Amino acid sequence: MTDKYAVIGNPITHSKSPQIHKMFAEQTGQDISYEAILAPKDGFAETIERLRKEGYKGCSVTVPFKFEAFNLVRALQDAQPMQGVCSQLAANAGAANTLTFHQDFVNGDNTDGIGLVRDIKQNLLYPLKGKHILLMGAGGAASGVLQPLLHEHPKKLTIANRTLEKADKLHQLYAHLPQTELSTCTYSDLNGSFDIIINATSVGLTDIEIPLPPSIFAPDGLAYDMMYGRETPFMKFACAHGAQIADGLGMLVEQASEAFFIWCGVRPRTAPVITALLKS
Ligand code: NDP
C-alpha cells in the first residue's frame, strides 16, 4: 500500500517539496505519495489530527508552523501515557520541520540545519569554520539552523532580527559555547562585514526589502537566501554589492533527503534532484 506524506504550510503553493519527494521515491523505489496541504493559520493542530486519522505516515512542516509543530509534539510527550518524542535537534531549536506518525505516537525532528550546512559546505563549497556569519531572522527556520551552524565553529555569529527579544532568546540558548562569539542586534544596528550572510526571514515570500548597510558583505562573501524559486530583494541587493548569491533550493533538497531518510530508511542522492529542479 502507498505510504502517504505531505507538506503543511501557509502559504504553500510555491513549495517544491512534492516534486522533490516524488524524485526521491522514483530514485529509491519507495512507494510513497506526497502532496502540499494548505492549513488555515489557526488550524495547524486540526490539520495534523485529520492527517493522522486518514493514515498519513508523516509530514514536513513549513512557514509559519514550525514552533507550533514542536509544541504539539511536546504536549504529546507530556501526556499520560507519553504519545510523542522530539529529537535533540528539534528540542534545542524549539521548532520541528519533520513529523513522523506512528499508530499512537508522533516523532518531531528538525532537518533544516543539516540541510543548510550540507548545502553551504558540500554543494557551494564554502567552509564555515572560522568565518563571520550573519543570521537574519529568529523564527522557526533560524532556530532550526542555529545549532548545526555553531557546530561548525564559526569565529563570530550575529543574529539580527526585527524583534530583538526573539534574537536574544536564541542567544541565551547558546551563549555558553566558547568557540564562537555570539551576538544579537536589530538590522539598524548592524555594523562590520560578514563572510556569510543567511536570510532566514520570511520576507523573501514578499517584495519587502529589509534595509541593510552595503558594507556588511565581505569581499567574495556569500549571501544565502533560504527562499527559493525567485530572485528576492535581498539577493538583488547582495549581488549589486559584490556578494556571491545562492538561494535555498539546495537546502530544501538536502533537508528533504534527511526527512526521507527518517521516514523510509534510505538516503536518496541529492545532486541529480537539484540539477533536475534547476533545469525545470
Ligand atoms: P517564521 O514565520 O517562523 O519566521 C519569520 C521570520 O521573518 C522572523 O524572524 C520575522 O521577524 C521575520 N520577518 C517577517 N516579516 C518581516 C519583515 N517585514 N521585516 C523583517 N523581518 C521580518 O518563518 P520560518 O522561520 O519558518 O521561515 C522563514 C523563511 O525561510 C521562509 O521564507 C521559508 O520558506 C524559508 N525556509 C526555507 C527552507 C529551505 O529549505 N530552503 C527551510 C526553512 C525555511 P520577527 O521575529 O520580528 O517577526
Side-chain angles (χ1 to χ4, degrees):
M1 217 169 74
T2 303
D3 286 341
K4 293 189 285 185
Y5 296 91
V7 56
I8 321 289
N10 187 330
I12 199 64
T13 43
H14 69 286
S15 178
K16 293 203 185 299
S17 294
Q19 271 172 275
I20 293 170
H21 283 277
K22 184 168 181 279
M23 285 189 259
F24 286 166
E26 283 164 6
Q27 189 197 111
T28 58
Q30 297 292 310
D31 184 11
I32 70 158
S33 66
Y34 188 106
E35 70 205 270
I37 294 178
L38 177 77
K41 290 216 167 125
D42 59 354
F44 177 72
E46 290 76 7
T47 306
I48 295 297
E49 195 52 38
R50 173 173 74 75
L51 296 188
R52 289 185 69 190
K53 278 196 187 126
E54 291 176 6
Y56 282 71
K57 297 284 185 183
C59 69
S60 312
V61 179
T62 187
V63 61
F65 297 124
K66 290 178 186 189
F67 290 129
E68 205 173 333
F70 170 77
N71 288 334
L72 191 142
V73 181
R74 183 43 79 77
L76 292 171
Q77 192 166 345
D78 292 343
Q80 291 290 339
M82 195 171 85
Q83 295 159 34
V85 164
C86 286
S87 70
Q88 199 58 51
L89 276 173
N92 289 347
N97 78 337
T98 304
L99 302 183
T100 310
F101 306 143
H102 304 282
Q103 191 84 28
D104 296 308
F105 201 77
V106 179
N107 272 104
D109 222 310
N110 197 314
T111 65
D112 278 341
I114 295 172
L116 175 72
V117 168
R118 273 192 204 147
D119 193 36
I120 293 178
K121 276 176 62 180
Q122 295 171 20
N123 299 338
L124 302 171
L125 303 177
Y126 268 82
L128 292 157
K129 189 172 179 185
K131 299 296 181 190
H132 290 197
I133 298 178
L134 172 62
L135 180 63
M136 293 166 54
S143 309
V145 300
L146 188 54
Q147 190 198 5
L149 280 175
L150 289 169
H151 193 72
E152 297 297 319
H153 296 189
K155 184 163 171 31
K156 261 193 192 174
L157 195 151
T158 301
I159 308 164
N161 197 44
R162 177 177 61 177
T163 313
L164 186 61
E165 297 74 44
K166 290 195 201 163
D168 286 341
K169 220 169 140 192
L170 285 182
H171 178 270
Q172 278 162 19
L173 292 174
Y174 300 104
H176 60 283
L177 294 180
Q179 69 277 7
T180 302
E181 199 183 304
L182 192 59
S183 61
T184 61
C185 64
T186 58
Y187 300 111
S188 56
D189 289 333
L190 272 173
N191 60 53
S193 66
F194 299 88
D195 305 305
I196 299 173
I197 301 180
I198 300 162
N199 183 12
T201 72
S202 53
V203 296
L205 292 163
T206 69
D207 283 326
I208 294 171
E209 184 166 358
I210 297 175
L212 297 169
S215 55
I216 57 172
F217 302 103
D220 288 326
L222 173 68
Y224 190 103
D225 201 319
M226 285 194 191
M227 185 62 198
Y228 54 87
R230 67 189 290 255
E231 193 186 33
T232 63
F234 167 73
M235 289 161 84
K236 279 186 199 147
F237 181 77
C239 190
H241 293 92
Q244 305 293 316
I245 56 168
D247 73 3
L249 187 73
M251 171 183 177
L252 183 76
V253 175
E254 297 295 345
Q255 65 77 27
S257 88
E258 199 59 27
F260 194 88
F261 177 69
I262 290 169
W263 293 330
C264 304
V266 278
R267 209 182 285 282
R269 282 175 301 119
T270 51
V273 174
I274 294 173
T275 306
L277 288 170
L278 286 174
K279 272 189 195 152
S280 73

